[in-house]
Amino acid sequence: MSEPRWLSDEEQKVWRAFSAATQMLQAHLEGQLQHEAGMPHTYYEVLVALSEAPGRQLRMSELASARKASRSRLSHAVARLEANGWVRRESCPTDKRGSWAVLTAEGFAALEKAAPGHVEAVRESLFDPLTPDQVKALGEISAALLERLSPKCAAAEAELALREDSLADIEESAELAKAD
């Protein structure tokens, strides 16, 4: 086994600052949305994804992929959004196990109401403290991280989807056995 590539003192300092900053930013944005819009950041992101999709609808699997969430976690979020009247599910006519998440007029109105405060919180906490050069560097750094992590995340997502599909097959078989 090879020796670990330990972080230098400077790298350790940068890592800890980056980790703390991203955690604080996420907590701040979560709190702002909860306080001002009465919704968690996860729900806001689902509403945004649906609002940007053609026809304001996505297959649940596409929505899970877009949000980098497991299907089960996304299904729970969509159930809560349905309870609020912000999203509705529709069956997929070509795939009996598939369904669509559709943004309702009420959901779009909730998003329109939440967006100004959220955008201002993002601007104040992320962009205002940075110079234009730092914003550009942050974009380049983020793109580099995404490029490195995306293939690994895609592989993990595919593995998770296979597991979820297998569980769904097992559950469906169990229900069919009960019906017999």
Side-chain angles (χ1 to χ4, degrees), residues 3 6 11 20 22 25 38-39 41 43-44 46 64 66 80 96 99 109 111 114 116 127 146-147 150 153 164:
E3 179 70 22
W6 298 110
E11 288 169 333
T22 56
L25 177 61
M39 74 174 76
H41 195 248
Y43 297 1
Y44 181 84
V46 169
R80 297 299 303 251
K96 70 178 185 171
S99 62
L111 179 61
F127 293 107
L146 287 170
E147 184 177 333
S150 290
C153 290
E164 289 179 344

Side-chain angles (χ1 to χ4, degrees), residues 9-172:
D9 289 344
E10 182 62 22
E11 288 169 333
Q12 188 71 260
K13 181 180 171 186
V14 169
W15 163 242
R16 288 180 179 166
F18 173 79
S19 182
T22 56
Q23 288 174 11
M24 289 174 75
L25 177 61
Q26 287 299 328
H28 175 69
L29 296 177
E30 182 73 36
Q32 177 275 324
L33 277 168
Q34 285 283 5
H35 177 72
E36 292 182 19
M39 74 174 76
H41 195 248
T42 300
Y43 297 1
Y44 181 84
E45 290 178 330
V46 169
L47 296 178
V48 167
L50 290 172
S51 76
E52 294 173 346
R56 295 186 181 158
Q57 62 182 18
L58 285 170
R59 285 191 58 141
M60 290 289 287
S61 58
E62 293 171 332
L63 185 55
S65 181
R67 297 301 343 126
K68 305 291 185 235
S70 71
R71 291 182 198 180
S72 60
R73 184 170 183 223
L74 177 76
S75 184
H76 176 74
V78 169
R80 297 299 303 251
L81 291 167
E82 280 183 296
N84 289 344
W86 296 346
V87 171
R88 74 175 180 277
R89 284 186 224 219
E90 294 180 357
S91 297
C92 179
T94 59
D95 178 5
K96 70 178 185 171
R97 288 196 307 185
S99 62
W100 293 85
V102 181
L103 182 64
T104 65
E106 294 84 3
F108 189 72
L111 179 61
E112 284 185 311
K113 184 178 176 186
H118 179 65
V119 169
E120 186 58 32
V122 170
R123 178 166 299 291
E124 286 178 353
S125 56
L126 180 63
F127 293 107
D128 287 352
L130 303 177
T131 67
D133 287 343
Q134 289 172 320
V135 170
K136 182 178 178 187
L138 180 60
E140 292 168 354
I141 291 165
S142 297
L145 293 173
L146 287 170
E147 184 177 333
R148 172 61 68 97
L149 293 172
S150 290
K152 293 176 184 178
C153 290
E157 286 172 6
E159 184 178 323
L160 182 60
L162 278 173
R163 279 193 222 139
E164 289 179 344
D165 286 346
S166 294
L167 285 174
D169 289 342
I170 291 167
E171 289 170 358
E172 187 175 328

